[in-house]
Structure formats: C-alpha cells, structure tokens
C-alpha cells in the first residue's frame, strides 16, 4: 500500500513539475513549431503517466485529465491558442490548475449559454457524491446476481454522476483557492432534445470545449476549402467523434490493460454519423418543422442509453474492469470503516487522565 501511495504521489508530483517547466520555459518561446518541439517531452510523459498509477480508478482519471485533456490544452498552447494561452497571462497556479484539471474559466466575453445556469456547488456536489456512493454500493453488492441490463443502467447513472462529481469537485477546489469563476461541468444532459444538443451543449462541457478547439475548428477550417463552408461541419463532426472514440479507447486500455475491442470507438463513430444526419435533416427542413421536446427528448436519451448498453459498457464488463473498480470501492469503504471504528471510541470515551 505504501509503495502504491508513493507511486501515486510521484506521478502527480511529476505532473506539477512538468507544468512548472511549461510555464517557465516553453511559454517564453515564440508560439509555433519551436514551442511545440519544447513541449514534446511533456507530451510523452503525460501519455505514459497512467502506467505509473497503481489504482485502476486513478489510471482512468489521469488518462482523462492528463493524457487527453492536458495534452490537448498544451497542443493548443504551442500555437498560442486555448485556455492555457489565457492562463499564462494570469499566474502560475492558475496555469497549473487550468492544465491539470478539467475546468474552464468563465471569461468576460464568453457567450456560452450554459454559463448562465449556475449550480449550488457544495449542495449539489454533496448530493451527487451520496447518490454515486449508493449506486456503487448497489453495483458492488449485486454485480453477480443483477441482470446485465439493470447493471448497465446503474453504470449509466454512475458515469453521469462520476464525471459531474470529478469536474464539480475540481471546480469547487479551484474556485475556493484561486477565486476563478468557472463554467459548470454539464448542463442538464437529461434534458437534451437532440444528439447535437447532448454532445455539443450539455454533456461534459470541458471535454466538449477541448474537442471543439483542438479538433472541430481546425478540421472545419481545412474542410471549408474542400467542400465549402456549408458542409464543412460534417467532416469536422466526424473527426471530433472519431478522436473522442479513440481517446475513450485509450482510457479503457489503461484501466483494463486488455486488448482494445474498438466497440467504444464505434459507439462514438455511430453518434458522429447520427449527428451529421441530424445536421443534414435540419438544414433540409430549414426550421420549418421541429419535433416537440416531449418526443425528441426521450428519443435522444433513449438512443444514448441503448447504444451505450450495446457498445459503451460491454468492453468494461467483459474485461472485468468494472469489477476491479468496484473492488477498489469496497476496499476504500472497509478502510474508512476501520478508521472510523478506531476513531469513534476515542471520541466517545476520551482519555481524561
């Protein structure tokens, strides 16, 4: 256990040290090719970082936070774009927080509609953590006996809450320490009325924004010169979902260490194609006919849930990754129960001598 803790501390410390380097060295190099070259060692280190994490859960978290998001932000930073280009002009701790955590600072010129909807961070966060704990406990207890569809429904809720909790917790810490006003982690994804709405405006907004800047906009810019502005969004959407699928595949690999099945990649490719079809239909109708929200909403969420049952969750369950995560959760609960058990007698019966 102590060796595992040491490896985790070393891994996260190396992230901070790498970002110190990025702030003081590459940031002083003119944006462009030379800055990109100066960041290559950091890209390589961040890519293999999850291998040093002894915990399965933290392997997944570090792959999302560091291997995917931090590398994407640094790639944008190499060319003077993205959130780190702004954070560089603020302070070192804001730069590190913006790079290492799944947060997005709210800018004065930001017109994102989701920005207007604020959550009560600690109240909502506490409720979500409680709900997440209950769902994990149920999954851990009934994994062997529950019907696979029931288990996957539980996992759907777990994924939604886990992403929201991770981003909301990071935001709360940064807000308390730095005082930054941050974007919400999500915007009621269950209220989505289309796949475009779900993926583009509601679900996991930090990842959405990173993909928009690092994949969608560059591909759309290039595509506009080939297919014209009207249809440039189609290849941009496809490329964005393809990259998202491959990065999720990488997360699955680091978590399970199993050979990729490519099912999760196909999940995102399928959704990318469906978003493209949505776009073509909407442009064809030109806003003349819109499906009522009470029909489009259930259809959208039904499609997301059914396809996740088909392609998103099976690779995790077949590799046993879900069982390993639940085992870590059990061990954590037992550890805390033991600590509380030894602490309670001391509180209830203090030594007065």
């Amino acid at each position: 256990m102590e060796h595992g803790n040491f490896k985790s501390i070393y891994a996260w410390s190396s992230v901070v040290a790498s970002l110190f380097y990025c702030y003081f060295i590459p940031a002083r190099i003119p944006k462009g090719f030379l800055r990109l070259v100066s960041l290559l060692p950091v890209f390589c280190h961040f890519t293999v970082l999850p291998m040093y994490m002894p915990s399965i859960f933290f392997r997944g978290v570090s792959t999302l936070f560091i291997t995917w998001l931090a590398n994407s932000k640094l790639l944008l930073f190499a060319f003077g774009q993205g959130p780190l280009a702004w954070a560089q002009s603020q302070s070192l701790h804001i730069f590190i927080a913006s790079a290492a955590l799944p947060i997005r600072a709210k800018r004065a010129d930001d017109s994102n509609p989701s920005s207007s909807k604020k959550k009560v961070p600690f109240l909502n966060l506490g409720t979500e953590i409680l709900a997440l704990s209950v769902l994990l406990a149920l999954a851990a207890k009934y994994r062997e006996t529950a019907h696979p569809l029931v288990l996957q429904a539980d996992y759907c809720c777990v994924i939604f809450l886990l992403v929201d909790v991770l981003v909301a917790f990071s935001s709360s810490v940064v807000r308390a320490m730095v005082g930054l006003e941050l974007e919400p982690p999500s915007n009621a994804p269950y209220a989505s009325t289309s796949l475009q709405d779900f993926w583009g405006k509601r679900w996991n907004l930090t990842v959405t924004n990173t993909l928009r800047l690092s994949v969608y906009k560059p591909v759309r810019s290039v595509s506009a010169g080939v297919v014209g502005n009207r249809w440039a969004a189609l290849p941009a959407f496809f490329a964005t979902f393809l990259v998202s699928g491959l990065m999720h595949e990488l997360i699955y690999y680091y978590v399970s260490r199993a050979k990729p099945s490519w099912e999760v990649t196909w999940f995102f490719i399928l959704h990318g194609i469906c978003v493209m079809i949505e776009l073509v239909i909407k442009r064809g109708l030109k806003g003349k006919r819109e499906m009522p929200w009470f029909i489009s909403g259930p259809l959208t969420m039904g499609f997301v849930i059914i396809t996740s049952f088909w392609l998103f969750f099976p690779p995790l369950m077949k590799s046993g990754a879900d069982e390993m995560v639940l085992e870590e959760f059990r061990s954590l609960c037992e550890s805390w129960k033991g600590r509380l058990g030894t602490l309670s007698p001391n509180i209830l019966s203090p030594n007065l001598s």
Side-chain angles (χ1 to χ4, degrees):
M1 178 66 73
E2 291 182 1
H3 179 64
N5 290 337
F6 175 78
K7 289 179 69 176
S8 296
I9 293 171
Y10 166 77
W12 290 113
S13 298
S14 71
V15 171
V16 176
S18 298
L19 294 175
F20 262 87
Y21 162 77
C22 294
Y23 184 80
F24 287 108
I25 306 299
R28 304 296 186 267
I29 299 174
K31 62 184 179 182
F33 179 74
L34 290 179
R35 185 186 289 185
L36 177 65
V37 171
S38 71
L39 289 169
L40 288 179
V42 180
F43 290 141
C44 294
H45 175 57
F46 283 2
T47 300
V48 301
L49 178 77
M51 296 175 62
Y52 297 96
M53 295 289 179
S55 163
I56 296 169
F57 174 76
F58 283 111
R59 284 208 298 266
V61 170
S62 61
T63 308
L64 172 61
F65 285 17
I66 307 301
T67 305
W68 182 359
L69 295 181
N71 270 345
S72 297
K73 294 172 187 176
L74 288 172
L75 180 61
L76 290 166
F77 176 63
F79 299 96
Q81 300 178 26
L84 298 186
W86 168 82
Q88 175 198 358
S89 64
Q90 302 301 306
S91 62
L92 173 62
H93 53 283
I94 291 178
F95 182 87
I96 291 175
S98 298
L101 297 174
I103 60 172
R104 183 188 174 204
K106 187 182 293 185
R107 308 280 288 279
D109 58 346
D110 203 332
S111 59
N112 189 340
S114 65
S115 304
S116 60
K117 296 189 177 182
K118 294 184 179 180
K119 299 175 73 175
V120 183
F122 291 103
L123 177 62
N124 283 359
L125 183 58
T127 304
E128 288 176 344
I129 290 174
L130 177 61
L132 178 62
S133 301
V134 170
L135 289 169
L136 284 172
L138 290 172
K141 184 175 182 179
Y142 297 108
R143 184 185 185 277
E144 300 300 327
T145 57
H147 191 281
L149 291 180
V150 175
L151 196 60
Q152 289 184 74
D154 184 285
Y155 289 168
C156 267
C157 298
V158 166
I159 290 292
F160 165 71
L161 289 171
L162 181 60
V163 170
D164 219 45
V165 164
L166 287 173
V167 180
F169 180 76
S170 302
S171 299
S172 298
V173 171
V174 172
R175 188 182 293 110
M177 294 179 62
V178 182
L180 281 178
E181 186 66 23
L182 301 172
E183 293 287 351
S186 60
N187 181 23
Y190 44 81
S192 302
T193 56
S194 69
L195 290 176
Q196 273 185 280
D197 188 32
F198 179 84
W199 292 113
K201 299 178 181 178
R202 294 186 179 275
W203 171 246
N204 204 352
L205 298 176
T206 304
V207 171
T208 296
N209 183 64
T210 302
L211 285 169
R212 182 181 293 114
L213 294 174
S214 61
V215 182
Y216 178 82
K217 286 188 174 181
V219 173
R220 178 164 185 164
S221 178
V222 172
S223 300
V226 179
V227 298
N229 287 325
R230 179 173 173 78
W231 301 110
L234 296 182
F237 275 131
F238 184 81
T240 302
F241 278 91
L242 176 61
V243 170
S244 182
L246 293 173
M247 295 311 301
H248 279 82
E249 203 76 58
L250 183 62
I251 294 174
Y252 279 26
Y253 171 74
Y254 275 132
V255 167
S256 66
R257 301 292 175 88
K259 183 179 178 181
S261 66
W262 306 110
E263 288 168 277
V264 71
T265 301
W266 281 110
F267 170 83
F268 283 96
I269 289 176
L270 173 62
H271 278 252
I273 292 172
C274 291
V275 168
M276 293 163 64
I277 293 172
E278 271 189 2
L279 180 64
V280 172
I281 292 174
K282 286 180 179 179
R283 288 186 176 178
L285 294 175
K286 297 180 180 179
K288 294 178 181 178
R289 295 181 182 178
E290 290 190 5
M291 192 178 295
W293 65 267
F294 56 84
I295 296 177
S296 61
L299 285 177
T300 299
M301 293 311 301
F303 182 80
V304 172
I305 292 170
I306 290 171
T307 52
S308 67
F309 284 11
W310 175 30
L311 295 169
F312 192 88
F313 292 112
L316 288 176
M317 299 175 72
K318 286 186 288 188
S319 67
D322 63 324
E323 186 174 5
M324 291 185 283
V325 171
L326 292 174
E327 184 58 39
E328 284 191 353
F329 176 72
R330 289 192 199 98
S331 300
L332 179 65
C333 290
E334 291 298 324
S335 174
W336 277 104
K337 283 171 65 177
R339 292 180 183 181
L340 291 174
T342 57
L343 184 62
S344 297
N346 294 330
I347 295 175
L348 296 175
S349 303
N351 187 358
L352 300 177
S353 59

